[in-house]
Amino acid sequence: MQYFQMIMALVGVLALVFVIFWLMKKFNKRIALSDSKNMKILERINLGPDKMLLLVSICGKCMVLGVTASHTEKICDLEQTEEELTAVSESTGGNPSFKESFKTVLENMKKKK
């Protein structure tokens, strides 16, 4: 009986950790790290350790920045505004899922043969 209580306590703790992790992952998308109205990071792509590309909107104007541990560099300005970029991503449904991407790659491989 003592082992059963110990196992149930362990299962309860693991379930609690899982629920907390799931809630943090779900609500983390909605939490803003800053209160800035004029500057937003729209997208981020990691290229390696301490290297990333950022799509940033500053006062509605979008630009691509390259960021490393030692410096930040503006790569280019985009002609599209933040509203145009978000409208395009919402109309296309955002990024495709892994399943959709994998299916596309397989279909392209079959066509090449």
Side-chain angles (χ1 to χ4, degrees), residues 80-92:
Q80 296 143 322
T81 63
E82 177 185 350
E83 292 80 19
E84 293 171 342
L85 286 173
T86 54
V88 168
S89 66
E90 288 174 359
S91 67
T92 60

Side-chain angles (χ1 to χ4, degrees), residues 98-110:
F98 176 77
K99 182 179 178 181
E100 294 168 346
S101 299
F102 190 66
K103 185 177 179 181
T104 304
V105 169
L106 285 178
E107 288 173 356
N108 290 340
M109 289 175 62
K110 287 179 183 178

Side-chain angles (χ1 to χ4, degrees), residues 2-3 5 11-12 19-20 25 28 38 40 46 49 53 56 65-66 77 81 85-86 93 101 108:
Q2 186 178 9
Y3 290 115
Q5 289 176 343
V11 169
V19 168
I20 290 172
K25 187 176 179 183
N28 192 24
N38 297 321
K40 297 178 187 173
N46 289 325
L53 285 177
V56 180
L65 302 176
D77 288 323
T81 63
L85 286 173
T86 54
S101 299
N108 290 340

